[in-house]
Amino acid sequence: MHIINELGAGGAERVMTRIACHNTQNAGPDIPRQIVVSLMDEGVYGADLIDAGVELHCLGMKSGIRDLPGAIIGLTRLMRKAKPDAIMSWLYHSDFIATLAATLSGCGAKRLAWNIRCAEMNLEQYGRSTRIVLGLLAKLSGRPAVIAANSHAGQQHHIKCGYHPKKWAYLPNGFNTEEWHPDPGAKNRLCKELGITPSKHLIGMVARKDLAKDHATLFDALGLLRAKGYDAHLVLIGHNTEELTFADALASHVSALGLRRDVAKLVPAFDIAVLASSFGEGFPNVIGEAMACGVPAIGNDVGDVADILGGTGKTVPQRSPEKLAEAIKELLTEDSDSHTYRKMASRKRIIDHYSLDAMNARYLALWDGLAGNRPIPDFEFPGGINHPE
C-alpha cells in the first residue's frame, strides 16, 4: 500500500505512479498487488493508475488540519480492510498520517517505510503545518522499519533535521528508457508548434512554478546569452509555468507551455536541458529523463545532481545566472563530435546506472523485507550511512 499526499504533477507522484503501474502491469506470483491511497484527490496521475489497473483510493482531504482526523480514520479503516503486507508512505504529511494509521489499524509500523524525496528544504517557503510535521517526524523517525531516500543529499539533510531511523535504505530513481529516448524529429515538431525556426537553440526546463525551481535565475541567464548574440529560445514545461513573469525583452524568446501530458515527446526536442533549482532537490527526475533522451543537462549543484550527471553534463552554483549562462554557452559551442559523444554518454549513463528495472528490483526487495519474507536488505548510500547505530 502506497500512501501519498496527492497525485499532482510532482516528481514523487510521478515515480510512485511509475512503480505502481509497472508492477500492476507485470503482475505475477512474486509481484505484490499495488494499492495507492491519495490523501486528497485523483490529481494528474489518478487516471494513469486506474487505466493500469491499480487499486486507487482517494480520501478527499483538503489543505489544513481540519480534515486530518478524518484522513487518519479513513486510512486506518482501509488498512484494516486491506491488511497490506508492506506500507510505503511518500512525503511528509503522508509519513505522519501513515504512521498513526499503521499503529491504530494493527498493521504495525514494522511494515512501514517512509520514502524521502527531497533535500535541503527551505522551510520558510512552505506553510507552518509542514514545519510542524517535520519536527514531529524527527521525533517519530525511530518508529518505521526503515526510512528510504532517493539521494545521499536527502539522507544527510534529514539526519541534520534529527531523523534517527532503525535503518536507512537508498532507493535512487529509475527511468523507462523505452519511453524516454532520443527522437531526431522532435525538435522540428516542437518548433513548428511554437512557430519558431529550428535554427534556434532550444533550452528546456521541466519544472512547476515554485520558488524552489528558481525560474528567475534562468530568465537572467537567458538574457545574458541573448546579449552575447546566442539565438537561444527557452521552453518551460510544468504546472502554472504560463503564469511566470519575466522581462518584456524576453517575451518572444520564451514559450511557457504549462502542464503537459506528452513531456516524453517534448524533451528530446531540447538542445540542452536545465534545472535551475536553488533548494529542495534530492534526485530530480527531470535530469535523468533528459539524459535518457540523449539531451545534455545542466543542473545547479543541489541534491545528487552531480552524481546523476556523472560528468556527462555540467553543474553550476546556485543563484548564479552568469555561471549558468556560461555553462549553456560552453555546451552550445562545443564541436560536433564532442556534442554527439556527450549525448550518447548521457543516455548510456541512465541505462547503466538508473534503469527502471534496477529501481523496481530494489523496491520489490524492500517490500518483501517489510512483509517479513526476508531480512530488510542493505541498500547502501554512496558515501552515506545505512545503519545509524
Side-chain angles (χ1 to χ4, degrees):
M1 177 181 283
H2 303 272
I3 298 110
I4 195 163
N5 299 355
E6 57 177 332
L7 291 169
E13 294 86 346
R14 187 153 75 250
V15 172
M16 190 278 299
T17 299
R18 188 181 299 158
I19 291 168
C21 291
H22 178 77
N23 285 292
T24 298
Q25 292 169 333
N26 294 279
D30 298 324
I31 307 295
R33 179 167 64 99
Q34 305 287 298
I35 303 171
V36 171
V37 181
S38 168
L39 299 180
M40 300 178 76
D41 54 27
E42 290 188 10
V44 172
Y45 289 111
D48 293 342
L49 291 162
I50 293 169
D51 289 346
V54 178
E55 181 179 335
L56 174 63
H57 300 268
C58 299
L59 300 185
M61 185 178 178
K62 306 296 183 184
S63 297
I65 64 171
R66 186 179 62 181
D67 291 346
L68 180 61
I72 295 170
I73 292 170
L75 183 56
T76 299
R77 287 173 176 165
L78 275 176
M79 286 185 180
R80 283 176 177 163
K81 181 178 179 181
K83 296 181 174 61
D85 298 298
I87 304 165
M88 177 165 276
S89 55
W90 302 66
L91 308 177
Y92 293 146
H93 291 79
S94 293
D95 293 340
F96 179 68
I97 292 173
T99 302
L100 295 180
T103 302
L104 294 171
S105 68
C107 291
K110 66 181 181 180
R111 298 188 185 277
L112 173 64
W114 294 354
N115 199 341
I116 291 172
R117 312 296 301 176
C118 63
E120 298 297 338
M121 294 290 290
N122 183 350
L123 293 174
E124 293 180 359
Q125 305 292 343
Y126 294 88
R128 182 169 173 263
S129 68
T130 299
R131 297 193 294 272
I132 291 172
V133 168
L134 182 59
L136 291 171
L137 289 174
K139 293 180 171 62
L140 291 170
S141 57
R143 297 295 301 278
V146 61
I147 296 182
N150 67 344
S151 68
H152 180 208
Q155 181 205 34
Q156 295 302 302
H157 173 66
H158 287 83
I159 289 173
K160 292 177 186 176
C161 291
Y163 277 50
H164 54 281
K166 295 182 178 73
K167 189 180 186 73
W168 285 102
Y170 177 49
L171 297 180
N173 293 351
F175 304 92
N176 183 344
T177 54
E178 294 181 3
E179 177 185 10
W180 300 91
H181 60 83
D183 180 355
K187 184 173 182 179
N188 283 337
R189 290 196 303 272
L190 180 56
C191 287
K192 184 177 180 180
E193 176 185 335
L194 301 180
I196 61 176
T197 173
S199 63
K200 290 182 179 291
H201 302 301
L202 289 192
I203 314 300
M205 179 158 136
V206 181
R208 68 186 180 277
K209 179 188 176 186
D210 189 303
L211 288 174
K213 305 302 180 182
D214 199 6
H215 286 87
T217 290
L218 182 56
F219 294 144
D220 288 344
L222 177 64
L224 292 171
L225 280 169
R226 294 201 58 81
K228 293 178 180 179
Y230 293 95
D231 192 12
H233 189 91
L234 181 60
V235 179
L236 303 176
I237 302 171
H239 186 56
N240 289 337
T241 51
E242 67 274 24
E243 299 176 0
L244 289 163
T245 58
F246 42 83
D248 290 343
L250 297 179
S252 61
H253 309 299
V254 177
S255 297
L257 306 184
L259 182 64
R260 296 282 293 252
R261 299 304 302 271
D262 58 346
V263 181
K265 295 181 180 179
L266 299 175
V267 170
F270 300 163
D271 293 303
I272 297 172
V274 172
L275 181 65
S277 294
S278 56
F279 63 89
E281 300 288 359
F283 187 123
N285 282 293
V286 294
I287 292 288
E289 289 164 351
M291 292 170 65
C293 293
V295 176
I298 299 171
N300 278 5
D301 193 10
V302 293
D304 282 8
V305 168
D307 289 337
I308 301 163
L309 288 170
T312 66
K314 292 182 177 293
T315 57
V316 296
Q318 302 169 31
R319 301 186 180 91
S320 179
E322 297 84 4
K323 296 289 187 182
L324 180 55
E326 181 63 24
I328 294 172
K329 185 195 80 171
E330 288 178 8
L331 292 191
L332 290 178
T333 56
E334 66 183 353
D335 64 80
S336 177
D337 288 346
S338 297
H339 191 68
T340 298
Y341 177 79
R342 189 184 297 277
K343 290 164 65 74
M344 293 173 61
S346 297
R347 178 167 169 81
K348 185 175 187 300
R349 179 158 179 81
I350 297 302
I351 292 171
D352 289 349
H353 297 280
Y354 302 110
S355 71
L356 175 60
D357 287 342
M359 174 182 71
N360 198 62
R362 286 184 174 237
Y363 276 85
L364 289 173
L366 179 58
W367 298 336
D368 210 32
L370 292 173
N373 298 325
R374 55 172 288 179
I376 292 177
D378 290 329
F379 290 141
E380 303 283 351
F381 288 78
I385 300 169
N386 198 57
H387 299 286
E389 298 84 5

